[in-house]
Amino acid sequence: IDIDRCLESQGPFDLILHKCTGLMVKAAEGNTTAIQQIQNIKSYVKNHPSCILVDPFDSIKKLIDRNEQYKLLLQCHLLDSDSSVFTPSFVELTTTDVVTNRQRLKEAHVSFPFVCKPTQAHGTSLSHQMAIIFDEDGLKDVQPPCVAQTFLNHNAVLFKVFVIGNKQFVVERPSIKNFSSRDHTTIFFDSNNVSKPNCANFLTELDAIDLDRTPVNPDIGRLQELGRVISQELQMELFGIDVIIDCETKKYAVIDINAFPGYEGVDNFIELLCDLLNSLMDNQSKLLCHGNETDMATNLKRPSDVIFDRDSDCTKRLKVSQTSAPTSQDNQTCRCAENSDRNANINHREQIKGCRGYRSDDLTSQEDDLDQYQESCDSISANKTSNNIEK
């Protein structure tokens, strides 16, 4: 899709798959080109409600700001205070003033050491530039705007929960080694370089004292349930969750959520993605077909005489029968509804054309039925005789 142009002439589209987090960030910063590109997509989806956007901009927007992302996590029932799943204490820092930041950290119960993460979680390479601050002397290294999050020892193991629709996949990755709150200069690092598969980095190598710690085997079912709960909260199909297991409490800590991640380590990702997209379009087709049937029943009036039946390929059978001679009230109804029925029938033909899986020969037959029904109304109005119209 050329998002620099209006999408109307490029369609029709049943579904649009995108990864526009970078554009969304630029648009939020006032970049006019990015604003127009995003608007072109939004306009098409607004004008074509049946077109599926994977994923919705409003849902992704919740993940771009880390502070808002962590606040959202607090709303998930799996992260209740008595749960084994939680998000470490955090606070947004918007100034370099050491006194102010010290007070904000204290109020939010963020303890040393803590990780400083850019507030902007997506869109640029700077989103992955982080720092571990060990004491008050390191507060001078805070680079706002950022989110300070308490660092938890987790034996240098990170679990990525990759979500693809209603499926969840857990992949183990290297992570930051264990640290204490002893005096230590601030450590700056790029999170992408630390958590890559088969990463070799001094930050991921456990110290000798930690090598004897018994590895914690994750509860895969719990991680998958976490993926389902967050998916419902976000209303998203494609995202990843970063989870660590606290060495001391053995609880599961959610430390980040990423929109449309790389899915490294997930076998057959492309096949799984295609299955998801096909499933979304199939479900949308069923909704459209069901909606068309409801609309037709309304447009044709006389609900007691209209029977709908749907077969497996979404085609429709219509039976309209007049079992007794129409009364004068029936005649009056036909005359009054004549113009509105014609317009409704024309609109319904367009709806049928938009129904995925509807065959062209069925469409022609259906249109004939509608024309015959309109002729029947005219005949009833003129002759007061019964008519039968059946497909």
Side-chain angles (χ1 to χ4, degrees), residues 355-369:
C355 178
R356 289 170 51 84
Y358 201 98
R359 298 195 301 264
S360 59
D361 55 338
D362 293 320
L363 178 58
T364 301
S365 176
Q366 182 71 75
E367 288 179 337
D368 291 342
D369 291 338

Side-chain angles (χ1 to χ4, degrees), residues 10-28:
Q10 304 179 58
F13 302 112
D14 295 304
L15 181 148
I16 297 176
L17 174 67
H18 74 94
K19 187 171 184 177
C20 292
T21 48
L23 283 180
M24 292 176 66
V25 170
K26 290 181 180 179

